[in-house]
Amino acid sequence: MKPAAFDYARPADWPAALALLAGGARPMAGGQSLGPMLNLRLAQPERVADLRHLPGYAGVEVQGEAIRIGAGTTHAAIEDGAVPGRLGAILAGVARRIAYRPVRNRGTIGGSLAHADPAADWVAVLPAFPGHAVALGPYGERRIPLARFVTGVFETALAPGELLRAIELPVLPETARWSHWKFCRKPGEFSKATACLLALPDAPPRLVLAALDTAPLVIEDATGLDPAALVTSISDPWRRRLALTALRRVLEGAA
């Protein structure tokens, strides 16, 4: 199937992108999610705004104790070491397991997060970090805690007229402990259960359980966590078993 006809726009700057969005255009980054939706006619926008050429949309910048990752930074760039330090090593390990290299060459961290598929890797992983999503709208930038950015299945905290501009994450010490586990039947498939845990010195461990057909479950303090008690609300037995396995694996990995 081919997509329905639509107009294509390539804004040269952020004000032009926001104007297109206000006019009803559908934003597109790498197109790895929107492209198939267009082909299946699940999405039929009158106009698509290609954000890839916006200034500062891709790239990584260290700003004091924070690292700002442009929303248009590709999975492949992160996999290849664009993010420095301990944080970069963690994110590279996550990016390396996203689909296949051709997908990683075009797919973007911001596009994945804003699409908010509950099984997507960045949707599951980023809430584990005490960072922010940087949204840009008609009234300027605002910062949304990553733990509260994805609010439901394909739903985010972005307000009408806002675009995801960047992700800001803290510079991590080398002693930061990280554990991550996801279940896929084969490479390239979306996860059926994902869990990750970040433990920083002098701070309680943060844990995320995701890919459960809802917003990620973020546990700000996973000290003494009982995995079995956490999954009792999952009605489907096999999904509950997978979630329990994911929790146990990340807790064992962090220990």
Side-chain angles (χ1 to χ4, degrees):
M1 186 179 292
K2 298 297 182 182
F6 61 85
D7 292 332
Y8 171 84
R10 195 173 82 174
D13 54 36
W14 288 96
L18 292 175
L20 286 166
L21 190 65
R26 181 73 175 264
M28 181 178 72
Q32 297 304 289
S33 296
L34 182 57
M37 292 174 65
L38 291 172
N39 284 337
L40 294 172
R41 301 201 175 191
L42 296 174
Q44 298 187 36
E46 293 184 2
R47 176 176 292 181
V48 170
D50 188 346
L51 308 181
R52 290 176 298 164
H53 306 279
L54 291 174
Y57 189 52
V60 177
E61 182 181 358
V62 179
Q63 301 177 340
E65 293 301 311
I67 296 178
R68 182 175 171 120
I69 305 172
T73 304
T74 64
H75 313 317
I78 296 171
E79 176 186 8
D80 293 343
V83 181
R86 176 68 174 135
L87 175 65
I90 291 172
L91 297 186
V94 174
R96 194 171 298 119
R97 296 184 62 199
I98 296 176
Y100 305 96
R101 182 68 185 202
V103 172
R104 299 195 292 271
N105 284 338
R106 294 186 62 87
T108 65
I109 186 171
S112 174
L113 186 61
H115 186 57
D117 187 315
D121 292 80
W122 296 124
V123 170
V125 165
L126 290 176
F129 298 91
H132 295 83
V134 181
L136 178 68
Y139 303 104
E141 285 189 353
R142 71 181 181 107
R143 283 161 174 75
I144 306 166
L146 287 167
R148 298 199 296 271
F149 182 78
V150 175
T151 58
V153 178
F154 303 114
E155 296 178 346
T156 73
L158 288 172
E162 284 187 328
L163 290 169
L164 180 59
R165 187 171 192 173
I167 293 102
E168 290 182 345
L169 299 173
V171 174
L172 299 182
E174 291 300 319
T175 52
R177 287 184 293 132
W178 171 256
S179 183
H180 174 228
W181 188 86
K182 70 174 183 176
F183 175 79
C184 298
R185 289 191 177 94
K186 59 182 180 180
E189 188 180 60
F190 275 113
S191 174
K192 299 298 186 295
T194 303
C196 55
L197 184 145
L198 176 69
L200 300 176
D202 303 319
R206 294 168 59 95
L207 183 144
V208 178
L209 177 63
L212 301 176
D213 298 331
T214 185
L217 176 62
V218 182
I219 308 299
E220 301 283 354
D221 185 352
T223 305
L225 178 73
D226 180 3
L230 193 63
V231 301
T232 54
S233 61
I234 302 174
S235 58
D236 191 302
W238 78 275
R239 296 299 293 271
R240 184 167 61 249
R241 179 61 63 86
L242 282 178
L244 183 59
T245 300
L247 289 171
R248 287 173 173 168
R249 292 288 183 91
V250 296
L251 291 171
E252 291 168 1

